[in-house]
Amino acid sequence: MPPVHGRFPNLTVLEHPLIQHKLSILRDKATSVKNFKQLVSEIAMLMTYEATRHLQTEPVEIETPLERTTARRVAGKKLTLVPILRAGLGMVEGISQLIPSARVGHVGLFRDHETLQPVSYYYKVPAAETDRDFFVLDPMLATGGSAAAAVSQLRASGATRIRFLCLVAAPEGVQAMLDAHPLVPVYAAALDRELNAHGYILPGLGDAGDRIFGTR
Ligand code: PRP
Ligand code: URA
């Protein structure tokens, strides 16, 4: 089990070699839109293995071709994925391959280029029941404004079991999440150095939404 980060008690950095290998290709500015989209999906899928480690299981009686036995299955309501539009959409496909029954909600937020504050424009998420797990998804945790706002919206609708999955985190964003939502675990493929003056993560990978959807 990967250790919680020494500097941030809310952060787990997933340093699996396959994740790190794929992330290095993702960061490369020469990577095509097609490959970028595929890599975001694959890394999200690999991260899911650790991010679901806490899920409770329960016994289930089944018949194998040879005999009756007791096996285990994931207990509770279907897990809900909540991508932050747009870039979080890129993580849904990979995670859904491992958890095909997952529900998907959508939170629409964009970051104002001047103020760097999140602006909300859409919210549609399956009902928050206390035994339902929510995974909020966004490849980038920069200032943390978007992630914190999405989690606030979810919590206001009654969700309690919330985790945040991103590919690249800035220390500023992890701290913002720790301040706003100290009990929400953050999983990242990398903790980068810092933000630049425009709120972009360094070294980062650029604008995740533009690179996934080919809009620049
Ligand atoms: C990006 C990214 C996050 C946000 C991170 O989205 O996908 O949602 O910025 O920044 P923050 O931590 O400082 O809030 P953007 O606002 O560019 O919207 P888009 O995905 O629609 O391009
Ligand atoms: N959003 C992005 O897509 N990239 C960054 O580096 C910061 C915010």
Side-chain angles (χ1 to χ4, degrees), residues 84-88 109-113 116-118 121 138-147 173 195 199-200 207-210:
I84 300 178
L85 307 179
R86 294 174 297 168
L109 289 168
F110 69 85
R111 198 169 73 146
D112 182 284
H113 283 296
L116 300 185
Q117 292 304 306
Y121 61 90
D138 195 321
M140 310 307 280
L141 180 62
T143 66
S146 303
L195 296 179
Y200 276 82
D207 188 307
D210 282 345

Side-chain angles (χ1 to χ4, degrees), residues 55-136:
L55 292 180
Q56 301 290 316
T57 59
E58 63 187 8
V60 56
E61 290 284 309
I62 55 157
E63 295 271 356
T64 77
L66 299 172
E67 63 177 26
R68 195 164 179 80
T69 188
T70 305
R72 300 202 70 80
R73 68 177 174 201
V74 174
K77 294 264 177 356
K78 304 282 186 254
L79 192 140
T80 301
L81 308 179
V82 184
I84 300 178
L85 307 179
R86 294 174 297 168
L89 289 173
M91 299 170 71
V92 172
E93 169 66 22
I95 300 176
S96 296
Q97 283 184 28
L98 284 187
I99 314 174
S101 62
R103 305 296 191 245
V104 182
H106 296 88
V107 173
L109 289 168
F110 69 85
R111 198 169 73 146
D112 182 284
H113 283 296
E114 299 294 322
T115 65
L116 300 185
Q117 292 304 306
V119 180
S120 171
Y121 61 90
Y122 189 73
Y123 184 86
K124 185 86 176 172
V125 176
E129 288 145 277
T130 47
D131 57 346
R132 198 187 282 278
D133 286 86
F134 290 85
F135 282 8
V136 178

